[in-house]
Amino acid sequence: MEDTIAAIATALGEGGIGIIRISGENSKSVLKKIFKPANPASLENRKMAYGNIVDPTTGKIVDEVLCVYMKSPKTYTMEDVVEINCHGGMVPLRKTLELVLSNGARIAEPGEFTKRAFLNGRLDLSQAEAVIDLIKAKTYRTFDVALNQLEGVFSGTIKEIRKKLVDILVNLTVNIDYPDEDIEQITYEKLGLDLSNVLDDIEKLLSSADTGRIIREGLAVSIIGKPNVGKSSLMNSLLKETRAIVTEIPGTTRDTIEENISIKGIPVKLTDTAGIRETSDVIEKIGIEKSKESFNQADLVIFILDSSRELEDEDLEIMDLINPEKTIILLNKIDLIQKIKKEEILEKMPGVTLIETSMAKRMGIDEIEKKIVDLVYGGKISQNNNVMVTNVRHKDILEKSRQSISDAINMVNLHEALEFIEIDVNSAYESLGEIIGETVQDDIINEVFARFCLGK
Ligand code: GDP
């Protein structure tokens, strides 16, 4: 018998209500020991019951609550589940939880409720992983993709690929084991076609992985440029509220400022850095080091030039560090008299994306946002596509499977023995099973659930 587990399921802090969740065979009996319902006939399946939590040893009322008992198997964990709605402060929640724990339940580990849902077969592993993504989603787009994964659309795609592999494996096995029987002879040509078809499916999923990672984890955007070019102003324009301090004294953004925003549903982590420039000022040096660091880690760099000032050596030095493929150059302050021409920059950095802006007049912001959206979707993935590889674990497995299938195709082309081909096809089949948790090792399962928060 599994232990009965319990935890506070809502975020800690002060709120109207806070919920304690209990799961396992003893859920109801634990509740009965500490709950005095106003109507003794209550505690029916799925019916809210009103009453008090009472300490059985002292008879003292701990909190006034609403409780619900949900009978197995139609529950989150597929076990008997109880939820106690307490007043949402630390004291009532803690005190009630203590009573739950001293009356037959033990504290749940992080993710243990969802882990039980997985082990009891209600969710597969990729669906369980979606639960955590759903909770952590910061934009509607991220949420939609996670919800799709939770509903099993992503798993369904994986299962279809595995089904194709099963058909190939059955055919291979029959031909290997009973070559003399009167069965459909496998041809290398058909085998090659079937495997290429599977390879296409895997490639298609993998092509969504870069976008998927960004949708889940956010796009790291680093804003760089000399002091006073308009970095904080850009940050503010994108934030549409004044949080970074805008000032006229050069070099006042000493350290980096980070903000999370949503651009058309894409979560964006903005970092405003101190200007990259040679300086003897110690504090500013730290800022510069940080700039270079975040510059290397960024998915996208926005490099701002003040077009009302001549290009200086340090602008050119920064340009040398830039990778034009992941950079947008802004020619800012175009409302003032121009000292830098667009052509001058394009000559130095052919092919780079250059946008003329005025933070003062709010010009060019839309174009920056559009460029970011284009960059993330890369023309490959539609913005409505909700089946994406968002998870690094899934991506690694898909890459491994792609390798096995490619190896198998190579052997088919060389007309190698079916036994050898079967090994690779089987290995792809097994690997893909790890995504949904069918062929997965316990330690990987534990690692997946350890990332959850308490009470989930
Ligand atoms: P940072 O040091 O790079 O963060 O630059 P700030 O954003 O603090 O801007 C420095 C100064 O330039 C401030 O006085 C801003 O108001 C001003 N500024 C920023 N963008 C523009 C612009 O497009 N046009 C004009 N005229 N002034 C701007």
Side-chain angles (χ1 to χ4, degrees):
M1 185 188 79
E2 286 283 352
D3 299 346
T4 295
I5 54 172
I8 298 172
T10 41
L12 295 183
E14 291 170 20
I17 53 169
I19 299 176
I20 288 169
R21 175 148 68 180
I22 313 173
S23 176
E25 220 165 3
N26 294 334
S27 300
K28 194 174 182 182
S29 71
V30 170
L31 183 68
K32 277 186 160 170
K33 285 188 212 162
I34 61 168
F35 178 59
K36 282 253 147 22
N39 171 4
S42 61
L43 274 193
E44 284 172 55
N45 185 23
R46 292 169 180 277
K47 285 238 172 85
M48 264 306 186
Y50 165 75
N52 288 319
I53 296 292
V54 177
D55 185 337
T57 53
T58 63
K60 251 180 84 179
I61 293 177
V62 170
D63 197 11
E64 183 188 16
V65 299
L66 283 169
C67 297
V68 62
Y69 158 68
M70 291 167 274
K71 197 170 154 43
S72 138
K74 286 189 175 173
T75 66
Y76 185 68
T77 53
M78 294 187 77
E79 302 171 338
D80 277 0
V81 169
V82 160
E83 285 177 8
I84 309 174
N85 293 242
C86 301
H87 284 101
M90 283 311 294
V91 176
L93 278 171
R94 278 276 155 86
K95 281 201 156 178
T96 307
L97 180 63
E98 275 167 26
L99 285 181
V100 168
L101 298 179
S102 56
N103 283 280
R106 71 157 167 83
I107 190 83
E109 290 161 17
E112 197 171 0
F113 292 97
T114 310
K115 186 176 181 179
R116 287 190 174 190
F118 163 67
L119 292 173
N120 293 329
R122 199 175 83 82
L123 300 171
D124 69 39
L125 196 55
S126 98
Q127 288 176 306
E129 286 171 307
V131 171
I132 189 165
D133 292 350
L134 211 60
I135 297 169
K136 294 201 166 159
K138 291 196 180 66
T139 73
Y140 288 118
R141 182 84 178 102
T142 314
F143 182 86
D144 282 348
V145 173
L147 189 62
N148 232 278
Q149 188 175 325
L150 177 62
E151 286 178 343
V153 183
F154 179 72
S155 309
T157 312
I158 298 295
K159 284 179 190 158
E160 275 167 31
I161 301 177
R162 288 185 94 219
K163 180 155 186 318
K164 289 182 186 175
L165 288 175
V166 167
D167 289 344
I168 298 172
L169 280 171
V170 168
N171 215 336
L172 276 169
T173 310
V174 170
N175 276 276
I176 293 167
D177 294 348
Y178 309 101
D180 303 328
E181 294 292 311
D182 186 19
I183 46 160
E184 185 198 343
Q185 287 290 311
I186 202 162
T187 65
Y188 282 106
E189 197 192 349
K190 168 136 189 355
L191 195 53
L193 282 176
D194 289 349
L195 287 171
S196 299
N197 179 292
V198 169
L199 191 64
D200 285 349
D201 291 348
I202 296 177
E203 294 279 11
K204 207 164 137 209
L205 277 178
L206 275 172
S207 71
S208 73
D210 289 342
T211 305
R213 178 187 68 82
I214 289 166
I215 295 295
R216 177 165 176 264
E217 290 171 18
L219 181 80
V221 177
S222 183
I223 305 174
I224 63 164
K226 280 184 313 196
N228 236 22
V229 294
K231 297 185 295 299
S232 318
S233 307
L234 170 68
M235 188 107 162
N236 290 340
S237 297
L238 289 173
L239 278 167
K240 294 186 186 81
E241 55 173 289
T242 344
R243 235 184 295 171
I245 309 149
V246 183
T247 147
E248 302 215 14
I249 312 152
T252 42
T253 319
R254 295 285 188 195
D255 211 332
T256 54
I257 301 173
E258 281 185 20
E259 291 286 356
N260 289 296
I261 59 167
S262 162
I263 294 181
K264 309 251 182 323
I266 300 165
V268 174
K269 287 181 281 185
L270 276 183
T271 315
D272 173 5
T273 64
I276 296 191
R277 65 168 188 175
E278 296 300 324
T279 173
S280 52
D281 182 330
V282 178
I283 303 174
E284 198 156 78
K285 261 219 154 112
I286 297 170
I288 290 165
E289 280 312 308
K290 281 218 160 191
S291 293
K292 286 191 177 159
E293 201 177 292
S294 65
F295 185 47
N296 289 333
Q297 288 164 357
D299 297 310
L300 172 71
V301 173
I302 299 182
F303 172 44
I304 312 186
L305 286 165
D306 178 347
S307 64
S308 71
R309 280 145 67 189
E310 303 276 357
L311 270 183
E312 290 173 22
D313 285 349
E314 42 190 301
D315 294 320
L316 300 173
E317 271 170 37
I318 298 176
M319 279 192 205
D320 282 343
L321 296 172
I322 282 177
N323 167 2
E325 279 183 7
K326 57 170 203 177
T327 304
I328 299 176
I329 298 185
L330 302 187
L331 218 42
N332 191 34
K333 308 200 188 181
I334 53 158
D335 53 302
L336 302 177
I337 295 168
Q338 301 296 287
K339 298 265 174 62
I340 307 177
K341 287 215 169 60
K342 203 174 167 177
E343 294 70 30
E344 218 177 322
I345 309 296
L346 289 175
E347 218 168 82
K348 289 190 173 52
M349 301 193 76
V352 77
T353 303
L354 193 145
I355 302 174
E356 289 174 299
T357 61
S358 164
M359 297 306 145
K361 300 242 174 332
R362 283 197 59 81
M363 284 160 65
I365 307 289
D366 287 350
E367 214 180 318
I368 299 171
E369 293 191 350
K370 188 177 174 300
K371 193 71 214 170
I372 290 176
V373 172
D374 288 351
L375 193 110
V376 170
Y377 289 100
K380 281 181 293 189
I381 294 117
S382 126
Q383 286 187 47
N384 305 319
N385 184 353
N386 282 339
V387 185
M388 284 190 200
V389 182
T390 56
N391 185 308
V392 186
R393 191 182 76 85
H394 301 170
K395 186 184 173 201
D396 289 348
I397 293 171
L398 282 163
E399 280 171 346
K400 208 166 116 191
S401 314
R402 172 172 65 186
Q403 189 59 52
S404 303
I405 298 293
S406 300
D407 290 349
I409 291 174
N410 284 340
M411 285 192 275
V412 168
N413 292 338
L414 295 169
H415 289 207
E416 298 266 7
L418 297 182
E419 283 86 342
F420 296 134
I421 298 169
E422 198 242 25
I423 292 172
D424 277 316
V425 177
N426 194 48
S427 135
Y429 174 77
E430 293 278 322
S431 297
L432 290 173
E434 288 174 24
I435 292 181
I436 50 178
E438 268 186 27
T439 51
V440 79
Q441 309 280 333
D442 279 355
D443 47 348
I444 293 176
I445 293 175
N446 290 338
E447 205 179 297
V448 166
F449 289 102
R451 291 183 196 156
F452 277 68
C453 40
L454 276 169
K456 249 297 155 195

